[in-house]
Amino acid sequence: MKAVTINEFGPPSVLTLVDCPKPMIAKEEVLIRTTYTSVNFADIKNRTGNKAKASFPMILGLDVAGVIEEVFDDSSIFKKGDHVIAFPKNGAYAQYVVANEQLVFRIPDGVPIEKVAAVPTVLFLSYILINRIAQIGSQDSILIHAASGGVGTMLIQMAKSHGAKKIIGTVSNLEKAPIAYELGAHHVLTYENFSAKVNEYTDGLGVDVVFDSIAGTITEESLNCLAPYGTLVQFGNSSGKAGNIKTADLHSSCRNVKGFSLGTTRALKPELLQQVAPAIFTLLQDESFQVPIAAVFALEDMEKAHDLMERRQHQGKILIKIV
């Protein structure tokens, strides 16, 4: 089969298209013929060595959409020919992948394949953040960092559907603002002095929830516009830097910080993904729920896809079509 591997950490040029053996399945696993995978920022961090441990050659990628090619003898859940999305065990940039049955989800009729292929990681993550971690209500004002990205575009729409009274997004430059406004944001800002502007837009009250995937100084400044009893949800580290939080900034204001990782949840609580999967597919069947797609690349053009992701000039998801 064809796959894209890396043999060292580095720039997009380390991504190499190679021929390698088709993987074998074991008990409670399925073999999937990949039709699409997507590029997530975690792939950039893994490629550069900021997240992954060195184990070369390495296949990157978190999620796939495809067709089940083979099931283990006693599988009562899936059959050959089922159309699914999945989180594979050893990377996704390949024509065939293996996934544990707990991390495979059958695609219902009426869900467009490109739409569902773009969102396994970002939509599961966003849904859990909105409904399980922050539990957004109709009286909440929220701040979403990286609002034009894959997770940000999902969070805006779900916050809107929950009736959030004010949705504020941040972006790296205002050329990315239109997509956030289109999906339901009330205000879109750049990161420069964003906390002062958020306080201005909330009449000095601050927001009830901050969704932060950036960390570093963005986390620190977010506390300047988080309301009493508010929640800062920290679910990523795209800046590559840690943010410092003083305990005095929490207990005296009755505010709290919650952390969440989809990767940790896949490993330790895959049943949570099974619980929310029906709601995920219901969202995708709704024609009004948008999944912005920035670009679609071929597997052999993975270097270009990573370059686009790393330059952070895209809006929406980057898809890889595998034929």
Side-chain angles (χ1 to χ4, degrees):
M1 71 171 186
K2 298 288 186 182
V4 171
T5 65
I6 64 171
N7 288 295
E8 61 180 324
F9 296 128
S13 58
V14 302
L15 295 158
T16 306
L17 185 68
V18 300
D19 287 303
C20 56
K22 188 186 297 185
M24 307 288 289
I25 63 172
K27 186 177 177 63
E28 297 182 349
E29 293 179 344
V30 298
L31 179 69
I32 300 168
R33 175 170 51 83
T34 307
T35 54
Y36 285 96
T37 182
S38 67
V39 180
N40 293 280
F41 197 80
D43 301 341
I44 306 302
K45 297 185 72 173
N46 285 332
R47 192 203 71 229
T48 56
N50 291 330
K51 188 173 183 179
K53 297 178 181 179
S55 179
F56 303 118
M58 182 187 303
I59 299 176
L60 303 178
L62 301 180
D63 54 46
V64 299
V67 181
I68 290 186
E69 184 81 4
E70 182 183 349
V71 300
F72 205 75
D73 293 342
D74 60 352
S75 176
S76 60
I77 303 174
F78 298 103
K79 65 181 184 302
K80 182 176 180 178
D82 284 344
H83 291 258
V84 297
I85 55 173
F87 299 99
K89 59 186 289 188
N90 292 314
Y93 295 176
Q95 290 179 315
Y96 293 91
V97 300
V98 171
N100 186 287
E101 289 182 332
Q102 283 190 298
L103 295 173
V104 181
F105 311 88
R106 188 179 290 105
I107 302 171
D109 294 337
V111 178
I113 184 62
E114 271 201 5
K115 191 174 186 181
V116 70
V119 295
T121 295
V122 297
L123 189 50
F124 272 96
L125 173 57
S126 301
Y127 186 88
I128 293 171
L129 291 176
I130 286 279
N131 293 280
R132 299 294 183 96
I133 307 301
Q135 298 179 331
I136 293 295
S138 61
Q139 296 304 307
D140 288 331
S141 295
I142 69 171
L143 172 63
I144 300 170
H145 291 307
S148 67
V151 176
T153 54
M154 302 295 104
L155 287 172
I156 290 171
Q157 293 179 83
M158 282 186 276
K160 181 181 178 181
S161 70
H162 281 62
K165 67 180 180 181
K166 189 155 292 185
I167 302 169
I168 304 171
T170 56
V171 292
S172 57
N173 66 75
L174 290 180
E175 292 179 357
K176 298 180 178 182
I179 192 171
Y181 280 123
E182 178 185 344
L183 296 175
H186 299 102
H187 303 283
V188 183
L189 318 167
T190 63
Y191 297 111
E192 184 178 359
N193 198 28
F194 70 85
S195 61
K197 297 174 184 175
V198 169
N199 286 328
E200 178 184 338
Y201 290 141
T202 57
D203 299 322
L205 298 175
V207 290
D208 301 293
V209 180
V210 176
F211 290 107
D212 170 29
S213 61
I214 301 176
T217 58
I218 297 299
T219 299
E220 295 168 3
E221 187 173 346
S222 293
L223 288 173
N224 296 335
C225 58
L226 183 63
Y229 299 92
T231 300
L232 188 152
V233 181
Q234 218 294 316
F235 65 96
N237 185 27
S238 64
S239 70
K241 300 176 182 178
N244 295 311
I245 296 175
K246 298 177 182 178
T247 55
D249 288 335
L250 301 179
H251 78 268
S252 61
S253 60
C254 301
R255 298 181 296 184
N256 66 91
V257 177
K258 292 185 177 182
F260 184 76
S261 164
L262 189 65
T264 300
T265 303
R266 290 197 305 268
L268 301 182
K269 286 194 171 184
E271 65 275 10
L272 178 56
L273 277 65
Q274 291 287 343
Q275 292 168 17
V276 304
I280 297 295
F281 288 122
T282 297
L283 275 174
L284 292 170
Q285 287 172 313
D286 183 349
E287 292 184 1
S288 69
F289 187 83
Q290 298 184 50
V291 178
I293 296 174
V296 181
F297 292 90
L299 186 62
E300 56 265 30
D301 292 326
M302 188 66 75
E303 183 178 339
K304 295 178 182 178
H306 269 237
D307 181 64
L308 178 60
M309 169 68 80
E310 203 159 8
R311 286 189 287 111
R312 304 193 191 199
Q313 298 303 307
H314 65 292
Q315 299 179 42
K317 287 294 295 179
I318 299 172
L319 274 180
I320 308 298
K321 187 173 184 178
I322 302 177
V323 293

